Amino acid sequence: MKYFDKSPFYFYDKLVKCPRHLKTVFISSFIFGCISHMYIMLNISPQGDVCSAFFGYGAGYTSGRWGLSLLGNFIGRLFGNYSLPWLNGILSILFLATASVFIVKSFDVYNEVNCIFIGAIMVIFPSITSAFTFIFTVQYYCFSILLTCAAVYFVRKYPKGWIAGVILLAFSLGIYQAYLGVAAGFFLLFLIVDMLQSKHTVMRIFADAWKYLGVIVASVFLYFICNKIALMITHNQLSEYMGINSMGQLPLNELQKILSRIYIEFFAPMLADRNGITQYPILRFSYLIFLLFTLYFGIRIICFVQVKRGFAAMCLVGLFLILFPFAINIIYMMCFYWVHTLMRYAMVVFYIAVIIIWEQNKQLFFSVKRIPGVEWVITCLCMITVGSFCIQANEASLCLNQRYRQAYSYYTTVIAQIKMTEGYKADTPIAFIGEVQDSTFPVIEEFDNLENLTGIPNAYHYINMYSRNKFIEYFCGFQFPVADDIDKIKHLPQFQIMPFYPDYGSIRMIDETLVIKFGD
């Protein structure tokens, strides 16, 4: 209750007196978030899931996301659920900016240039760009990241912070399960950094390792308990989509393959685009240089610990370094069927780790004369990475908006032809049959490099979206009764002889149903 005894101006004064480096990370995160995502926040750019969940928040209990359902239903009761690009986008950026502050405070980062990079990378990583294409639920996903980073902070900074950490992390998993790797990656980074500081004994670090592992296990256990209770109360069951119903059931016969993939996916982005993470050649090059720095830092850390702390400590820090790629790619253990861009946000920890280890231990890696030159190299790498991710985010937003405009124009023309068909009435059932195979429909090849970024469908996938009827209703202003005898229509001789749209005769009345034949 002590906070309620304070004047509101007390909190304003605390904000004004906030250390400069914390203001820097927050402001940089907000600015880069706006630079990267403002286009999609100010333009209508729906994809299939947006049309399907235009007045919702996406899959909840059936996808194991009980936290998402609790939040979505609560907001729905207060205000209703709406896809609000501007508001959802701003909230998302603010959540991520606050998450960046927690990370900077957790690692005691004071260099303002590094704070700028951490704030920027947290909000513009391709997983966030992908999340913004799901504008109806992006704010919940970013809130989940905030909860994860807050959990990491409390566990790190407070003796009994593990209690809050377990609860916050379990609720974060209840919103989106993929962010477990963020916590695991940061916990391992704590251990690696502590090994390089004499104030932490080896036994203390060993105990912390078990504490962090306990927080991870306890939060996952709590998540599954809450998920079980939520499914029982709501009389739901997990969906089979993408193997969600087998979540937590690791096939032992596939374990070697999964472990191999975890480490392959850590190195693969330097050679090819993986899930949109290294879309441009320059990103693959910068990732390679970051990897080389990481490998060099790792070797130097092992040698340093062996000399200063002994063989046992060297083995321990070596184990931490080996487990680091496993931690940030742990999603492949959780979901071994299909991993996409949204699920790979934990890779952001890799970039942050290089910066934090460099800032706190640069004298360990290079001589005093070489440090300024190396610092310039790392700064340039950070600028290239941040700049490339900003361009990628804007390209993705442009692509999605362009495909929306194409589909809007295309179906507006189809609607006009429907209304001009002889015998059509407002209550006439309509059957869209097949997928668009129109050679006059332009495909913009310049956007093909976005094919690995989740949420950006190619042109034909977009115009044939599974929620096509909702798209036509919400954005083209045409609501119609849907024919319920499509299979019967497909076998009629009149349908068999019809050409594909847009050829003349591809729209016609068959037994009082208006049929548009896009394909067989």
Side-chain angles (χ1 to χ4, degrees):
M1 295 296 293
K2 64 179 181 179
Y3 292 107
F4 292 98
D5 297 332
K6 306 289 185 181
S7 164
F9 293 104
Y10 167 81
F11 299 100
Y12 173 77
D13 291 339
K14 293 288 286 184
L15 182 63
V16 171
K17 296 176 182 178
C18 178
R20 179 170 166 173
H21 67 286
L22 297 182
K23 293 180 184 177
T24 299
V25 69
F26 185 91
I27 293 172
S28 69
S29 192
F30 185 82
I31 290 174
F32 279 101
C34 290
I35 291 173
S36 298
H37 308 302
M38 189 69 75
Y39 188 101
I40 203 168
M41 290 162 59
L42 295 178
N43 290 275
I44 298 175
S45 305
Q47 34 92 312
D49 286 358
V50 174
C51 298
S52 176
F54 199 64
F55 299 104
Y57 51 80
Y61 294 119
T62 57
S63 291
R65 299 171 195 161
W66 49 267
L68 177 61
S69 287
L70 290 176
L71 284 176
N73 292 339
F74 176 72
I75 296 298
R77 287 182 179 274
L78 289 179
F79 310 108
N81 295 117
Y82 303 96
S83 296
L84 305 173
W86 171 253
L87 181 60
N88 292 356
I90 286 294
L91 286 174
S92 300
I93 292 172
L94 290 175
F95 290 151
L96 292 172
T98 307
S100 303
V101 172
F102 276 120
I103 296 305
V104 165
K105 285 177 67 67
S106 297
F107 287 96
D108 298 319
V109 178
Y110 296 102
N111 183 289
E112 292 186 12
V113 174
N114 292 338
C115 286
I116 290 173
F117 175 69
I118 291 173
I121 198 73
M122 289 277 288
V123 78
I124 65 172
F125 193 73
S127 297
I128 302 301
T129 296
S130 180
F132 264 82
T133 67
F134 302 87
I135 199 67
F136 60 93
T137 196
V138 62
Q139 72 278 16
Y140 298 117
Y141 285 15
C142 292
F143 183 65
S144 177
I145 294 172
L146 170 59
L147 292 179
T148 300
C149 294
V152 167
Y153 171 77
F154 285 118
V155 173
R156 176 67 168 177
K157 291 295 184 178
Y158 298 96
K160 295 184 179 179
W162 63 269
I163 300 174
V166 169
I167 296 171
L168 291 173
L169 188 53
F171 195 78
S172 171
L173 297 177
I175 299 174
Y176 197 56
Q177 303 94 326
Y179 302 136
L180 179 66
V182 176
F186 280 132
F187 284 149
L188 269 173
L189 187 56
F190 287 144
L191 298 172
I192 294 168
V193 169
D194 288 348
M195 272 291 191
L196 300 175
Q197 299 176 0
S198 58
K199 65 180 179 179
H200 298 284
T201 65
V202 175
M203 289 305 298
R204 167 68 185 277
I205 296 170
F206 185 71
D208 284 344
W210 283 105
K211 180 179 76 170
Y212 297 149
L213 179 60
V215 169
I216 293 289
V217 173
S219 61
V220 172
F221 184 68
L222 180 59
Y223 160 77
F224 276 113
I225 290 177
C226 294
N227 189 53
K228 191 74 172 177
I229 295 171
L231 291 174
M232 289 175 58
I233 293 175
T234 60
H235 305 290
N236 279 304
Q237 59 183 5
L238 291 177
S239 166
E240 296 181 1
Y241 177 67
M242 288 174 55
I244 290 173
N245 59 338
S246 62
M247 182 173 51
Q249 303 173 17
L250 183 65
L252 296 180
N253 61 323
E254 298 286 334
L255 184 58
Q256 183 178 355
K257 185 186 297 184
I258 293 170
L259 289 174
S260 299
R261 188 178 179 191
I262 284 173
Y263 285 91
I264 288 172
E265 291 295 341
F266 180 74
F267 292 98
M270 69 178 178
L271 301 174
D273 182 16
R274 305 301 299 168
N275 306 117
I277 294 174
T278 49
Q279 175 179 310
Y280 305 118
I282 195 169
L283 275 173
R284 294 193 279 278
F285 174 76
S286 66
Y287 190 90
L288 169 62
I289 305 302
F290 271 118
L291 267 179
L292 293 176
F293 272 115
T294 303
L295 293 173
Y296 175 70
F297 289 170
I299 294 171
R300 294 289 295 166
I301 288 170
I302 290 173
C303 294
F304 174 81
V305 171
Q306 194 274 331
V307 172
K308 294 293 184 180
R309 293 180 180 264
F311 180 77
M314 181 194 73
C315 293
L316 190 59
V317 76
L319 177 63
F320 296 154
L321 290 168
I322 291 171
L323 288 176
F324 183 73
F326 174 84
I328 62 178
N329 279 330
I330 199 171
I331 186 62
Y332 289 99
M333 296 286 286
M334 301 166 62
C335 181
F336 38 86
Y337 288 103
W338 181 41
V339 172
H340 55 69
T341 313
L342 277 173
M343 298 177 175
R344 299 206 63 188
Y345 185 71
M347 282 296 294
V348 76
V349 181
F350 165 71
Y351 292 95
I352 293 174
V354 176
I355 299 306
I356 289 174
I357 291 175
W358 168 252
E359 176 181 326
Q360 298 184 1
N361 305 278
K362 60 183 68 174
Q363 293 82 5
L364 169 64
F365 306 120
F366 294 98
S367 63
V368 176
K369 291 182 178 180
R370 293 184 178 180
I371 285 177
V374 176
E375 200 140 56
W376 272 106
V377 172
I378 293 177
T379 301
C380 290
L381 281 175
C382 293
M383 292 172 62
I384 289 171
T385 303
V386 168
S388 298
F389 284 156
C390 284
I391 293 171
Q392 180 190 35
N394 281 276
E395 182 191 348
S397 301
L398 174 65
C399 173
L400 198 56
N401 182 252
Q402 180 268 340
R403 284 178 180 161
Y404 156 73
R405 291 176 181 273
Q406 277 188 318
Y408 171 82
S409 178
Y410 193 86
Y411 283 117
T412 299
T413 302
V414 173
I415 293 167
Q417 292 175 290
I418 287 172
K419 292 183 176 181
M420 293 173 62
T421 302
E422 184 177 353
Y424 169 77
K425 294 185 293 187
D427 59 352
T428 299
I430 295 178
F432 290 103
I433 298 180
E435 295 188 347
V436 174
Q437 304 176 34
D438 187 351
S439 61
T440 68
F441 182 75
V443 176
I444 311 299
E445 295 180 354
E446 284 78 2
F447 288 132
D448 286 351
N449 60 342
L450 290 165
E451 62 183 7
N452 293 324
L453 190 68
T454 304
I456 308 293
N458 66 41
Y460 275 106
H461 285 163
Y462 190 100
I463 203 164
N464 290 306
M465 68 176 71
Y466 72 94
S467 53
R468 173 168 53 193
N469 291 354
K470 288 296 183 182
F471 178 90
I472 292 173
E473 178 183 346
Y474 292 149
F475 298 101
C476 300
F478 183 56
Q479 188 175 24
F480 56 91
V482 179
D484 55 5
D485 53 353
I486 291 178
D487 289 335
K488 178 182 176 182
I489 293 172
K490 287 182 179 180
H491 292 89
L492 294 176
Q494 301 97 307
F495 177 79
Q496 298 291 332
I497 64 173
M498 288 174 63
F500 294 156
Y501 186 86
D503 293 354
Y504 180 77
S506 57
I507 300 178
R508 64 175 294 183
M509 296 289 295
I510 299 179
D511 295 340
E512 298 183 350
T513 297
L514 196 146
V515 177
I516 302 95
K517 185 178 180 181
F518 289 121
D520 291 322

